[in-house]
Amino acid sequence: EAGVTQSPTHLIKTRGQQATLRCSPISGHTSVYWYQQALGLGLQFLLWYDEGEERNRGNFPPRFSGRQFPNYSSELNVNALELEDSALYLCASSLALAYRNSYEQYFGPGTRLTVT
Amino acid sequence: QKEVEQNSGPLSVPEGAIASLNCTYSDRGSQSFFWYRQYSGKSPELIMFIYSNGDKEDGRFTAQLNKASQYVSLLIRDSQPSDSATYLCAPYGMDTGRRALTFGSGTRLQVQP
């Protein structure tokens, strides 16, 4: 069974630009979570999508946004990039809420975003 | 107070010893707890999940939960050099506000051959 996939692996942008990161969940998973792992700050929750809707949002500014497509893949957009946005962005997926083990989140390999 | 507190380490243990990793949390609404392992430069990997008070064993791993004390731990028996990684604790709740994982900063474990 294929795991969570993310693209691109690395992304280099300059300050003020926009970045788009993509995630494909495990087949059968409908929930997608985005996390940011910045150096020295640990893993922080960004966004949660389930069945195409945003269910929860972490403590990040509105320039961090995303969406989930009908095939449950997801996109994270970061507008007006700042130097401190440089981090590893991780996507995780889980089964739908109705399943007993919907709490299990499985992570993709991440996208390393560097803002210069 | 942080939601999840972990000693950043590094925790250094000799090969074959028991490694004990601890985590305290502040939200009494947290119902379950995950332990993830993260190797340097890699993404987190789910290794244990516990929701009941007491112990849960899975191979060389034992998770211990004490909700009254808001404390969860992970024991690794017969530690191997391949266990050297950062271990992340994350509480979890079924309501929307707690479903997204809030990770501790992690404890770095070093197993010396």
Side-chain angles (χ1 to χ4, degrees):
Chain A
E1 179 184 275
V4 177
T5 59
Q6 292 186 246
S7 63
T9 304
H10 293 92
L11 190 57
I12 299 174
K13 294 285 186 178
T14 56
R15 195 168 49 185
Q17 285 188 316
Q18 178 196 39
T20 299
L21 290 64
R22 296 180 177 83
C23 170
S24 292
I26 292 171
S27 177
H29 285 193
T30 61
S31 275
V32 170
Y33 310 79
W34 287 96
Y35 293 87
Q36 181 197 65
Q37 190 169 34
L39 204 60
L41 291 180
L43 256 171
Q44 297 185 78
F45 165 69
L46 264 166
L47 290 158
W48 167 32
Y49 292 96
D50 183 67
E51 297 286 352
E53 292 190 20
E54 182 180 302
R55 299 292 185 179
N56 199 1
R57 181 182 183 85
N59 189 24
F60 281 84
R63 56 190 188 83
F64 286 84
S65 65
R67 53 180 172 166
Q68 186 178 34
F69 300 99
N71 67 353
Y72 304 114
S73 67
S74 177
E75 194 173 88
L76 174 69
N77 294 294
V78 188
N79 294 320
L81 284 165
E82 300 179 2
L83 295 178
E84 53 265 35
D85 296 334
S86 295
L88 179 66
Y89 288 84
L90 291 159
C91 170
S93 73
S94 72
L95 288 168
L97 289 168
Y99 288 85
R100 279 191 68 186
N101 55 342
S102 64
Y103 49 79
E104 295 180 2
Q105 294 185 24
Y106 296 92
F107 284 84
T111 292
R112 174 76 59 186
L113 173 63
T114 302
V115 182
T116 61
Chain B
Q1 183 189 10
K2 288 184 181 178
E3 285 189 55
V4 182
E5 303 243 21
Q6 293 183 260
N7 189 323
S8 61
L11 172 66
S12 185
V13 300
E15 184 174 354
I18 296 176
S20 177
L21 306 160
N22 304 314
C23 173
T24 58
Y25 61 96
S26 61
D27 186 352
R28 287 193 173 273
S30 299
Q31 300 159 328
S32 316
F33 299 85
F34 292 99
W35 281 100
Y36 280 81
R37 176 177 62 198
Q38 187 174 25
Y39 292 110
S40 181
K42 302 293 185 182
S43 59
E45 173 192 7
L46 178 61
I47 56 171
M48 286 288 282
F49 171 75
I50 185 168
Y51 60 90
S52 298
N53 274 328
D55 296 359
K56 178 183 178 183
E57 189 173 317
D58 184 1
R60 295 186 296 110
F61 297 97
T62 299
Q64 298 175 319
L65 175 59
N66 184 324
K67 291 186 179 180
S69 300
Q70 295 178 250
Y71 175 93
V72 58
S73 64
L74 179 70
L75 302 178
I76 306 174
R77 290 183 301 282
D78 188 23
S79 296
Q80 302 296 309
S82 59
D83 294 326
S84 298
T86 296
Y87 290 81
L88 303 164
C89 164
Y92 176 84
M94 286 305 294
D95 63 84
T96 303
R98 297 190 181 93
R99 188 174 168 88
L101 298 178
T102 300
F103 287 90
S105 55
T107 298
R108 188 157 61 95
L109 173 66
Q110 293 178 340
V111 181
Q112 308 294 335

